[in-house]
Amino acid sequence: MILLRRVGFRVGVAALVIGGILAGCSGGDDRADSPQVRRCKNLLGSGNVDSAVDAIGSSDVKASGTPQADVLADLLVKEAKRWQKSDLLHTAYTACRMSAFEGDRIIGTVDVSVKWSVLSLKMMDSPQISRTWRRVNDSLFLAPEASPARMQLLAVCAVPGAVASQPSDLPLQFEVAAKDLSTELRWDLLSTFARSVVEAMDCTKPPVIPSALPAGA
């Protein structure tokens, strides 16, 4: 009788150990995300955000910004409809800013933003600009080396109700700034973000934004 009890106890302990291991394998990567981080994931992709947090090296992350594609799209569309060629100042909208902490110290940041660009499509042909910006397709230009920590995307989006020259003279400019991320991960965040915003805008001809990192970037 005592032997049976000992055997039962050992089996129970083994089951608990195995259950703990399986839980660690299946659910150990689950994060207790704040509502702000979850909204960033909706805009930038859940896996992309998790990879960015892992690259920074801390699970203590605070997020801010305007991480709703429809809100950003509405702000951008209203600005484009008011735009005239003499307007050279454009508002930069922070979609998601994530700061990773170690105690009270910030050890890394990811900054994702969008604005209407001061660059026009005609400028893309100038030798100085073409050294930084590379044509991806007819509606897209990429600046992967604006600095070691930044990647930028220029996208053509014709907004109904804006002046006729708006598509070529006022393209969208998306940016991801994060020194701790790889080029591929910066592109994943940038392209997912750009597609989220563009899909929420009523572009006459939406820009073609590939999911794969363009060759040579």
Side-chain angles (χ1 to χ4, degrees):
M1 187 71 176
I2 294 174
L3 180 61
L4 289 174
R5 287 178 182 174
R6 287 179 179 174
V7 171
F9 174 77
R10 289 173 182 171
V11 171
V13 170
L16 288 173
V17 171
I18 293 171
I21 293 173
L22 292 175
C25 292
S26 64
D29 291 336
D30 291 344
R31 304 174 190 273
D33 293 327
S34 68
Q36 291 79 12
V37 171
R38 287 198 295 270
R39 287 197 291 268
C40 285
K41 286 185 172 185
N42 290 336
L43 187 64
L44 307 176
S46 180
N48 294 336
V49 170
D50 283 343
S51 296
V53 171
D54 290 340
I56 293 173
S58 174
S59 59
D60 183 11
V61 175
K62 292 180 175 57
S64 60
T66 309
Q68 292 96 10
D70 56 341
V71 174
L72 291 168
D74 185 58
L75 292 169
L76 290 163
V77 167
K78 287 179 179 177
E79 189 175 345
K81 289 180 177 180
R82 295 193 303 264
W83 176 78
Q84 298 295 325
K85 279 194 173 185
S86 58
D87 298 336
L88 299 178
L89 295 177
H90 310 305
T91 302
Y93 302 101
T94 298
C96 180
R97 177 178 292 127
M98 293 184 291
S99 299
F101 288 82
E102 191 174 84
D104 294 330
R105 183 171 62 92
I106 295 178
I107 62 171
T109 59
V110 177
D111 222 326
V112 182
S113 61
V114 61
K115 65 179 180 180
W116 291 109
S117 183
V118 295
L119 301 172
S120 68
L121 297 191
K122 291 179 181 178
M123 294 180 184
M124 296 293 107
D125 295 327
S126 72
Q128 183 177 1
I129 298 295
S130 62
R131 282 197 294 267
T132 301
W133 290 90
R134 303 174 188 176
R135 182 186 292 272
V136 177
N137 54 48
D138 290 341
S139 60
L140 210 66
F141 294 82
L142 175 64
E145 298 173 352
S147 79
R150 296 166 61 209
M151 180 179 283
Q152 296 172 303
L153 195 63
L154 209 69
V156 179
C157 172
V159 175
V163 297
S165 63
Q166 177 265 317
S168 60
D169 289 345
L170 190 72
L172 286 167
Q173 186 169 324
F174 300 92
E175 178 177 308
V176 170
K179 66 180 181 62
D180 297 303
L181 306 188
S182 66
T183 299
E184 290 78 9
L185 183 50
R186 276 200 290 270
W187 170 257
D188 290 341
L189 288 165
L190 185 65
S191 60
T192 303
F193 170 51
R195 283 194 297 272
S196 297
V197 174
V198 166
E199 286 171 5
M201 297 179 69
D202 191 19
C203 300
T204 301
K205 185 179 180 182
V208 179
I209 304 170
S211 56
L213 179 69

